[in-house]
Amino acid sequence: MERFDRFMAGANAAYYANQDFAADFVTAPELTQVFGELLGAWAKTVWEMMGAPADIILAEAGPGSGALMADALRAWAAPRVHFIETSPRLRAAQAKRVPHAVWHASLATLPEAPLILLANEFLDALPVRQFIRREAGWMERWVKAGVYAEFPAEYTLPDDPVGSVREINEAALDFCEELARRDAVGLFLDYGPMHSAIGSSVQAISHGKFADPLGEPGTADVTAHVDFEAIALHCNAQGPVKQNAFLTSLGLFQRTEYLALRNPARAFALRQAAERLTAPEAMGSLFKAMVLCPKGFPTLPGFE
Ligand code: SAH
């Protein structure tokens, strides 16, 4: 028997160690090179706003195939590149695209230096604790032999109606607090609501279809919506803004057209990807961008 968040952590570690996530769901950097290029140019501007420190580290959490960073580095050849990645299989894929990167299992071992961190669809993979309100009070969800079990919660939670579910992503909060302690600038793109919401957002995806989150651990990607508002309560943030507003203001369509006109064979795919990233019914609206930065930092590009 395990607490739900520990079950989710184990399931995802097994999933990313063994499965090809690109076969199960499509992410922005896999759709178009423009996504990573815009983020690289964004990071360069942020670095200049920091006063262009020579020892800057450009880091990425959960770099997947390494495509985002490879594209970003064409826009800004950052001198030091660090990856936070736990999957040995994905580390090997990333090494093919960004051979000079330095790998870490967590933020803790990153050198203390000026830091810009990018993370696309990373926080949603971190484990959440789940609580359900019963007559007698709040209970926490555990997993026992493939089904949910409940034990009295040690957390103090708001007095929601009986049957309400709440999620707390302690791992995401810890990650963000460590970034804040380092005075880093961290850009997160992920799906979640503008404001904290009650209800279960845990879902599992396998081969592009919804699966049972409590099914065989390691066969599906288990995610939860990112509670941006809760993170922004703990750490100084700009945003969240909708992904379509963010990417459009960074020049998604201009860069796409530039490439499309020069590569007629790829024009259709490039334009289709830009559309998919911004259409409200696709990835434009549910996905948000939020940036953590030191207090008093000027307004960052895309967050005007
Ligand atoms: N950013 C990529 C991949 C998203 S999938 C893209 O957009 O395509 C989530 C990524 O986070 C994978 O690389 C996965 O191995 C990594 N990951 C998941 N949980 C992690 C953890 N606890 N610590 C470090 N990396 C993790």
Side-chain angles (χ1 to χ4, degrees):
M1 190 163 63
E2 270 175 309
R3 218 169 66 190
F4 177 75
D5 58 324
R6 295 182 188 136
F7 170 85
M8 180 170 166
N12 274 343
Y15 173 78
Y16 285 107
N18 299 306
Q19 304 289 324
D20 172 19
F21 74 88
D24 289 325
F25 54 95
V26 181
T27 59
E30 303 301 320
L31 276 174
T32 172
Q33 69 182 77
V34 178
F35 185 79
E37 291 170 352
L38 295 177
L39 265 47
W42 181 91
K44 183 177 191 208
T45 305
V46 174
W47 170 61
E48 286 160 357
M49 291 167 83
M50 289 171 145
D55 55 345
I56 186 76
I57 291 176
L58 178 61
E60 187 181 351
S65 73
L68 191 164
M69 185 59 83
D71 294 335
L73 292 171
R74 280 201 307 280
W76 176 37
R80 305 165 80 190
V81 178
H82 287 245
F83 281 159
I84 297 161
E85 175 61 67
T86 39
S87 158
R89 174 193 165 106
L90 289 174
R91 282 187 180 198
Q94 293 151 16
K96 287 194 183 133
R97 283 186 155 135
V98 189
H100 64 291
V102 180
W103 280 264
H104 303 264
S106 74
L107 254 185
T109 52
L110 241 75
E112 297 281 341
L115 175 64
I116 300 172
L117 178 128
L118 307 174
N120 184 63
E121 292 211 44
F122 168 70
L123 293 179
D124 68 292
L126 300 184
V128 294
R129 294 177 71 169
Q130 255 201 359
F131 301 89
I132 182 156
R133 177 69 202 263
R134 299 295 184 199
E135 290 288 353
W138 281 100
M139 306 291 281
E140 178 155 15
R141 278 188 160 157
W142 288 57
V143 179
K144 185 181 181 183
V147 292
Y148 285 116
E150 295 174 8
F151 292 94
E154 291 158 14
Y155 252 91
T156 316
L157 292 159
D159 193 20
D160 299 325
V162 169
S164 303
V165 173
R166 281 202 180 246
E167 293 171 348
I168 295 183
N169 192 332
E170 283 179 338
L173 289 168
D174 289 350
F175 188 91
C176 292
E177 277 174 358
E178 169 66 6
L179 270 188
R181 188 196 62 74
R182 288 169 179 256
D183 283 331
V185 173
L187 176 65
F188 295 94
L189 291 118
D190 226 309
Y191 61 103
M194 277 289 176
H195 297 287
S196 298
I198 58 172
S200 172
S201 73
V202 168
Q203 64 176 39
I205 300 278
S206 176
H207 303 294
K209 294 201 181 70
F210 289 113
D212 176 9
L214 302 189
E216 183 57 27
T219 56
D221 178 47
V222 186
T223 60
H225 284 183
V226 174
D227 187 348
F228 291 103
E229 195 174 34
I231 294 172
L233 273 177
H234 285 80
C235 308
N236 186 62
Q238 294 178 19
V241 296
K242 290 180 180 174
Q243 170 163 285
N244 51 14
F246 179 71
L247 294 178
T248 303
S249 105
L250 261 45
L252 172 69
F253 290 100
Q254 288 87 337
R255 178 70 186 154
T256 296
E257 277 315 297
Y258 176 91
L259 291 173
L261 293 173
R262 277 157 192 78
N263 307 273
R266 289 176 49 222
F268 179 76
L270 284 161
R271 291 183 179 130
Q272 199 182 36
E275 191 56 35
R276 191 160 165 187
L277 289 180
T278 51
E281 69 281 8
M283 297 164 85
S285 182
L286 184 55
F287 277 76
K288 309 290 186 303
M290 189 169 87
V291 65
L292 302 183
C293 58
K295 279 203 181 71
F297 206 88
T299 302
L300 287 148
F303 296 93
E304 297 86 358

